[in-house]
Amino acid sequence: MESKVTQAKEKKEQLFMQSKHGANRISAETQKQSDAFAADYMAFLNASKTEREAAKNAAALLEEKGFVPFTPDMKLQAGDKIYVNNRGKAIIAAVIGTAPITEGVRLCAAHIDSPRLDMKQNPLYEDHELAMFKTHYYGGIKKYQWTTIPLSLHGVIVKADGTSVEVNIGEDAGDPVFCVTDLLPHLAPQQMKRPATEIVRGEELNLLVGSMPFNKDEESEQVKLNILNILHEKYGITETDFLSAELEAVPAFPVRELGFDRSMIGGYGHDDRVCAYPALRALLDCEKPVHTAVTILTDKEETGSDGNTGLCSSYLPYFLEDLADCFGAKGRHVMHASQCLSADVNAAFDPTFPDVMEQKNCAYLNHGVCVTKFTGARGKSGTSDASAEFVGTIRRVLDDGDVVWQTGELGKVDAGGGGTVAAYIANLDIDTIDVGVPVLSMHAPFEVVSKLDVFMTYRAFCTFIAS
């Protein structure tokens, strides 16, 4: 009897798929590396709360590592490091490999935009002696989550004479912050009867920016005048300059370690900078790969990837075509032979809300980087759905690199769904699959990830680049 039990146990270990907590699968040294990497990531995230800031900081790190701006017809050889800054909002960087470019490139593509509140083009108004900014939310958010939290203001204002000024108010200890107000519970019975999507409506996401008049005159709109005067003294702008401004309200609080054991990271912008930074670091740490390694940090994913800094545009294929031209090759041949990890997050299982997840096919915190074969909604609408052959290739790459990884879908069938940039890259005839970090409270002002998962995502990119 005992031998049969032992035999069954051995067979289960041989045949069953077993997902274990990552801490039981890594060494003490790997744990130290994970913690150190998390500290670097947190510093990057604190300094990169908008796509412009992320692109600027990424470009600075690239240049420190010897990357130079790419121009068509450059004479390139193995080990050369190049990058393109697309309008200050998106970055493509590459390290030239030793293999012929016709063998394809290894792409890692992440996005650096995150849900936020954008200021309207004519935002400033006064109402009952309070100064407010009108906003238009960006990306998929639960609007009520953006009330009564401290917000900072980031962006750029282009003045009438063509000069521009950068804005960053609310991050330093001595800075003021801003907020969207909400009703007190005592007066909110009617508000609480609204559907959840309308508890706070889009036109109610008004940013409180001031309350003091310019002086004691009886002139109307004294508070608005005072705010404009403060902005004129600080930035030299007038109200019409808002017409050519991009101002974003984002959470003002810093990224923090989370939990008694400090095993997690809580903060704004994990989606998708938690994949963008590991993809960038993997390229920065790459010296002379076999296949040319390319990292893309793109914009506009949260609104559908349209626009000339989003991956529905042609800036990626143009870059690959120009790169192919440098070696006398055709861009379409390079793309056909290429492979891509679409570096985007997936939803982590939340035991408080288990009903939306199919627990045999979802991602868990601390179980490593998540490989997502397909995304989309309903009948896989809007997904590229990686082939079995390419999934098999990625399995071998991750296993050979000693990467802790798992698979997952974005919730139950028909429970909702979402998309990534994978489909737009796959449409270029490039084998593509989603790989990224599981996230709790995705798209909230305060998202949560595991340090171990972040490090394993970095290791996955390093292994893929080296493959």
Side-chain angles (χ1 to χ4, degrees), residues 35-181:
D35 292 340
F37 188 87
D40 292 340
Y41 165 61
M42 291 170 67
F44 178 85
L45 193 58
N46 275 327
S48 307
K49 289 194 172 181
T50 69
E51 73 286 353
R52 286 182 181 271
E53 292 170 352
K56 180 179 179 180
N57 292 329
L61 290 172
L62 288 165
E63 290 183 356
E64 286 177 12
K65 278 284 192 173
F67 286 74
V68 298
F70 172 70
T71 57
D73 302 321
M74 286 180 75
K75 302 297 182 184
L76 297 173
Q77 59 185 4
D80 285 350
K81 301 175 180 181
I82 56 174
Y83 81 99
V84 173
N85 189 329
N86 183 5
R87 297 169 172 85
K89 295 183 179 182
I91 297 284
I92 303 181
V95 179
I96 306 303
T98 56
I101 197 73
T102 50
E103 293 187 11
V105 303
R106 297 291 184 265
L107 291 161
C108 295
H111 68 90
I112 50 177
D113 61 317
S114 295
R116 61 183 188 252
L117 302 182
D118 283 347
M119 301 308 107
K120 291 190 177 185
Q121 297 310 105
N122 185 23
L124 181 60
Y125 70 101
E126 178 178 335
D127 193 343
H128 287 78
E129 299 176 337
L130 294 178
M132 317 283 281
F133 273 171
K134 297 294 296 183
T135 74
H136 193 137
Y137 64 93
Y138 174 99
I141 64 171
K142 290 182 173 179
K143 294 184 281 292
Y144 64 81
Q145 292 180 333
W146 288 76
T147 64
T148 67
I149 61 172
L151 298 170
S152 55
L153 201 61
H154 298 239
V156 62
I157 302 172
V158 179
K159 296 189 282 188
D161 62 3
T163 61
S164 63
V165 292
E166 291 187 8
V167 176
N168 188 327
I169 306 172
E171 299 298 339
D172 293 338
D175 283 355
V177 295
F178 313 94
C179 77
V180 175
T181 59

